[in-house]
Amino acid sequence: MDSLLVRRADVQQFLSEATMLLCTSDLEGFSNVLLEALATGTPVVTRRPVDPDLIVLRHALGASAEDELALSKSVSEIWDMDANEYNAIATRCQIYVKANHSPTAKARELIAALTPLVAKSKRPGQPLEQPIPIGR
């Protein structure tokens, strides 16, 4: 039996040529492969437990299904979409990842979280402890 092996260097190209990414896991969690698919404009069809904070559902990035029947129906709906509807989802996927998961977006979140902590420190911009002067 031949297996499909996609080299790491080819993952983005592979995902960009897919119609959708189907995740049938009940427990996996929102993995990087889902973000990688969304970044290429590939919609995700997944089970509800794997859609944290209902990201796929709330942002219309594919489908977030409650059960196997809904999962199957969602695959059919995406497969049967006209080009304009599919392209709209693909664009939403890319915009979502860029706005919420890019290094720039994450750096802004980190700075926003750290700024109040720095402002509360006793000596902003100073080390926590000053060296004790010797010889006085």
Side-chain angles (χ1 to χ4, degrees), residues 30-83:
F30 201 78
S31 69
N32 283 340
V33 73
L34 299 181
L35 284 176
E36 290 171 338
L38 295 173
T40 66
T42 302
V44 170
V45 178
T46 189
R47 295 290 312 265
R48 191 67 46 88
V50 181
D51 186 6
D53 302 325
L54 301 178
I55 290 169
V56 174
L57 182 66
R58 287 187 305 118
H59 297 279
L61 306 174
S64 179
E66 290 282 348
D67 56 34
E68 288 79 13
L69 183 60
L71 197 66
S72 177
K73 183 179 176 187
S74 297
V75 168
S76 294
E77 288 172 357
I78 290 176
W79 187 263
D80 293 335
M81 283 181 178
D82 68 43

Side-chain angles (χ1 to χ4, degrees), residues 2-125:
D2 292 330
S3 65
L4 176 65
L5 174 64
V6 179
R7 292 178 305 140
R8 182 71 190 146
D10 300 329
V11 168
Q12 189 174 21
Q13 180 68 31
F14 177 79
L15 289 171
S16 71
E17 294 174 1
T19 302
M20 70 192 86
L21 177 71
L22 174 61
C23 177
T24 59
S25 177
D26 287 329
L27 305 171
E28 181 179 348
F30 201 78
S31 69
N32 283 340
V33 73
L34 299 181
L35 284 176
E36 290 171 338
L38 295 173
T40 66
T42 302
V44 170
V45 178
T46 189
R47 295 290 312 265
R48 191 67 46 88
V50 181
D51 186 6
D53 302 325
L54 301 178
I55 290 169
V56 174
L57 182 66
R58 287 187 305 118
H59 297 279
L61 306 174
S64 179
E66 290 282 348
D67 56 34
E68 288 79 13
L69 183 60
L71 197 66
S72 177
K73 183 179 176 187
S74 297
V75 168
S76 294
E77 288 172 357
I78 290 176
W79 187 263
D80 293 335
M81 283 181 178
D82 68 43
N84 290 332
E85 192 176 7
Y86 184 87
N87 289 336
I89 289 178
T91 300
R92 269 196 310 275
C93 292
Q94 292 175 318
I95 290 169
Y96 171 80
V97 172
K98 186 175 181 180
N100 296 286
H101 296 278
S102 72
T104 303
K106 290 301 166 190
R108 275 191 293 245
E109 287 178 23
L110 180 61
I111 290 167
L114 292 176
T115 299
L117 298 174
V118 171
K120 287 181 187 177
S121 71
K122 293 179 183 174
R123 292 169 256 150

